[in-house]
Amino acid sequence: DVKVTQSSRYLVKRTGEKVFLECVQDMDHENMFWYRQDPGLGLRLIYFSYDVKMKEKGDIPEGYSVSREKKERFSLILESASTNQTSMYLCASSFLPGTSGRAEQFFGPGTRLTVL
Amino acid sequence: GQQVMQIPQYQHVQEGEDFTTYCNSSTTLSNIQWYKQRPGGHPVFLIQLVKSGEVKKQKRLTFQFGEAKKNSSLHITATQTTDVGTYFCAGRYWDSNYQLIWGAGTKLIIKP
């Protein structure tokens, strides 16, 4: 079974702190994604990576950065946490679509981050 | 930018009633995927539709992809309490090998 793990289920941080969220997948997936999920807004893509050291901005990258030094690990960094970054953060991974075009995303359990 | 609109945002049904959620894109999709997120859980892949006019069934769930590949629907017949959760569609466009564009989700609530 594909397993995507995230470093914390719950995290409480203070405004201005630097926050690291880590994600690890064990299926040798090329793609990895960071989303945030807020009520009524669905899943919004923050950043994604299609290869080691490669990254692309998603829809809401402001205030975030990412790092992918190894294929299985994708980190999300909040350089200076703010209260509007309080949210559920979901990591996902997938293969490249390939010939079938199928590349479902496998999600981690999520990290609920509260910034006070 | 590319958007996938999903309606309704919520649907309240009595157990045993049917449920439908709809997704619509302004431009043609390469394919569309459906996911289910149980309360307190994370999204889990249900199915992918690729062909124009495609219809796929999983027990009481019926998935359709429109002829123009711009819209899709998920219909659940005779809902059960195990169906509770939020259903998301996610479309892939021809110019993207990586990114899915997500609908906002439809939350299925079963009335007691």
Side-chain angles (χ1 to χ4, degrees), chain A:
Chain A
D1 273 356
V2 175
K3 200 164 185 184
V4 181
T5 56
Q6 294 184 230
S7 47
S8 307
R9 286 304 303 270
Y10 300 94
L11 210 52
V12 180
K13 295 292 181 181
R14 298 217 171 265
T15 302
E17 280 193 82
K18 192 168 185 176
V19 182
F20 293 87
L21 302 182
E22 298 247 297
C23 175
V24 178
Q25 51 95 2
D26 66 358
M27 275 300 290
D28 204 33
H29 285 163
E30 293 90 358
N31 294 340
M32 295 189 76
F33 307 85
W34 275 107
Y35 295 94
R36 64 176 282 178
Q37 184 173 27
D38 301 288
L41 297 178
L43 279 78
R44 292 184 291 167
L45 182 65
I46 305 171
Y47 268 97
F48 67 97
S49 168
Y50 52 89
D51 202 351
V52 174
K53 296 192 187 294
M54 306 303 290
K55 60 187 179 185
E56 291 281 343
K57 292 180 181 178
D59 301 316
I60 51 164
E62 296 79 18
Y64 304 94
S65 62
V66 290
S67 172
R68 194 167 179 198
E69 296 296 319
K70 293 185 178 182
K71 191 174 185 180
E72 67 271 19
R73 189 178 297 267
F74 192 34
S75 302
L76 180 70
I77 303 144
L78 286 66
E79 294 290 341
S80 177
S82 63
T83 54
N84 63 14
Q85 292 179 308
T86 291
S87 187
M88 171 67 82
Y89 289 87
L90 289 163
C91 174
S93 68
S94 74
F95 286 118
L96 285 172
T99 53
S100 72
R102 174 171 166 166
E104 68 262 40
Q105 294 188 6
F106 296 86
F107 284 83
T111 296
R112 185 163 293 283
L113 173 67
T114 302
V115 183
L116 301 174

Side-chain angles (χ1 to χ4, degrees), chain B residues 35-75:
Chain B
Y35 292 75
K36 176 183 178 182
Q37 184 176 24
R38 293 181 187 276
H42 55 273
V44 175
F45 174 80
L46 293 175
I47 207 160
Q48 177 173 282
L49 305 172
V50 179
K51 298 176 185 173
S52 168
E54 190 168 15
V55 178
K56 286 189 176 180
K57 294 195 176 194
Q58 289 180 350
K59 297 183 181 176
R60 295 176 294 104
L61 278 63
T62 301
F63 304 84
Q64 296 191 13
F65 201 12
E67 294 289 342
K69 298 183 72 173
K70 289 183 179 181
N71 55 69
S72 183
S73 64
L74 158 59
H75 180 82

Side-chain angles (χ1 to χ4, degrees), chain B:
Chain B
Q2 291 158 336
Q3 267 192 313
V4 173
M5 304 300 294
Q6 185 172 1
I7 58 168
Q9 189 174 358
Y10 300 94
Q11 191 165 358
H12 295 76
V13 301
Q14 298 276 6
E15 189 174 4
E17 290 182 338
D18 292 356
F19 161 85
T20 306
T21 174
Y22 302 90
C23 287
N24 188 65
S25 168
S26 56
T27 54
T28 303
L29 295 163
S30 163
N31 58 67
I32 194 160
Q33 298 179 359
W34 285 92
Y35 292 75
K36 176 183 178 182
Q37 184 176 24
R38 293 181 187 276
H42 55 273
V44 175
F45 174 80
L46 293 175
I47 207 160
Q48 177 173 282
L49 305 172
V50 179
K51 298 176 185 173
S52 168
E54 190 168 15
V55 178
K56 286 189 176 180
K57 294 195 176 194
Q58 289 180 350
K59 297 183 181 176
R60 295 176 294 104
L61 278 63
T62 301
F63 304 84
Q64 296 191 13
F65 201 12
E67 294 289 342
K69 298 183 72 173
K70 289 183 179 181
N71 55 69
S72 183
S73 64
L74 158 59
H75 180 82
I76 303 178
T77 304
T79 54
Q80 300 175 358
T81 54
T82 53
D83 296 325
V84 161
T86 302
Y87 293 85
F88 292 95
C89 62
R92 191 183 305 280
Y93 291 90
W94 292 101
D95 60 355
S96 172
N97 221 14
Y98 315 111
Q99 194 174 345
L100 293 174
I101 307 299
W102 292 78
T106 297
K107 190 171 186 177
L108 169 58
I109 299 160
I110 306 265
K111 292 187 271 193

